[in-house]
Amino acid sequence: HEGYLPYDKSGDFVYHSTEILSLLLALSCLLFIQLKCPKSYQQKYDSFGSFQSSSFLGTLYLIVPCLLLALVLHPTLNSDFVSDVAWTFSMYMETCAIIPQLYMFQCSTANKGVVEVMVSHSVFALGFARVLDMVFWLYSYHELTGAAGSKMAGTLVLISQFVHIAIMADFYYYYFLSIKNGKMMQLPVNHSNMA
């Protein structure tokens, strides 16, 4: 399963260590949120995907389409179906992962669309990281050519990066307005979801 790692020695140790560390940090964040700060969770605003099901199942509205898309559109750098689909699925999920947060911002009637300063900065940083990812891939997507010389893998990566930036465009607009005006970030509130 080396198709998505560098060919030098960093692919053997650095990338695997980073992935394991990232997983451990994500798990520790989840544990910290569940055990130390359960009162900070705003369950009534966390209603993404609860249109016809419980909000717990709402993530399926993102997971299932991303999985189906990965099953159909995936590169074949490893010539191994499972690892090729898993890599593509994670890329598609990374693209869509911000949607529930943006949805929660716009449905939060208690804050009247005001996003806390540190939260807005952190969401902007996540989005800006994707901009930097796209710049990186613009210069190196040609390296993701398949065995037959297909550039489909590189093109999928670029499209995924662009879609994420497009999803965040509205957020970027209001973020830069708040910076320009020196005020807290104010998003338009979805009045149909007000309690």
Side-chain angles (χ1 to χ4, degrees):
H1 302 288
E2 299 295 323
Y4 303 99
L5 296 174
Y7 292 117
D8 64 5
K9 289 288 185 187
S10 67
D12 295 335
F13 177 76
V14 176
Y15 279 77
H16 295 297
S17 300
T18 303
E19 290 293 324
I20 291 169
L21 181 62
S22 296
L23 176 63
L24 292 174
L25 288 172
L27 290 174
S28 66
C29 284
L30 288 173
L31 285 173
F32 185 77
I33 290 169
Q34 293 295 319
L35 300 177
K36 297 280 186 181
C37 303
K39 293 178 183 175
S40 67
Y41 176 56
Q42 298 174 328
Q43 185 174 2
K44 65 181 177 179
Y45 302 122
D46 188 10
S47 60
F48 179 79
S50 63
F51 310 113
Q52 300 296 325
S53 63
S54 71
S55 62
F56 175 73
L57 298 175
T59 56
L60 292 178
Y61 285 108
L62 292 178
I63 294 171
V64 171
C66 287
L67 180 60
L68 293 175
L69 190 60
L71 288 169
V72 175
L73 291 174
H74 61 273
T76 56
L77 294 178
N78 276 335
S79 298
D80 178 57
F81 181 78
V82 173
S83 65
D84 290 333
V85 168
W87 182 79
T88 309
F89 173 65
S90 70
M91 182 178 62
Y92 293 156
M93 281 302 300
E94 193 176 1
T95 297
C96 298
I98 195 68
I99 294 173
Q101 183 68 52
L102 297 175
Y103 179 83
M104 189 173 171
F105 286 158
Q106 293 197 338
C107 292
S108 176
T109 56
N111 299 341
K112 296 183 172 80
V114 174
V115 181
E116 294 177 25
V117 174
M118 293 304 291
V119 173
S120 67
H121 290 328
S122 99
V123 172
F124 174 78
L126 286 171
F128 188 66
R130 293 304 288 231
V131 171
L132 295 176
D133 280 349
M134 186 165 185
V135 170
F136 168 79
W137 285 113
L138 279 170
Y139 288 104
S140 55
Y141 79 98
H142 61 279
E143 294 179 17
L144 294 177
T145 54
S150 169
K151 295 200 187 290
M152 183 186 82
T155 304
L156 287 175
V157 169
L158 286 177
I159 290 170
S160 177
Q161 302 294 326
F162 178 77
V163 167
H164 188 272
I165 292 168
I167 289 170
M168 299 265 321
D170 188 51
F171 181 88
Y172 293 148
Y173 173 75
Y174 289 105
Y175 178 81
F176 286 121
L177 271 181
S178 71
I179 297 296
K180 177 185 164 199
N181 297 330
K183 297 182 179 178
M184 288 184 75
M185 185 174 169
Q186 175 79 41
L187 292 172
V189 177
N190 184 350
H191 293 287
S192 64
N193 289 328
M194 286 189 171

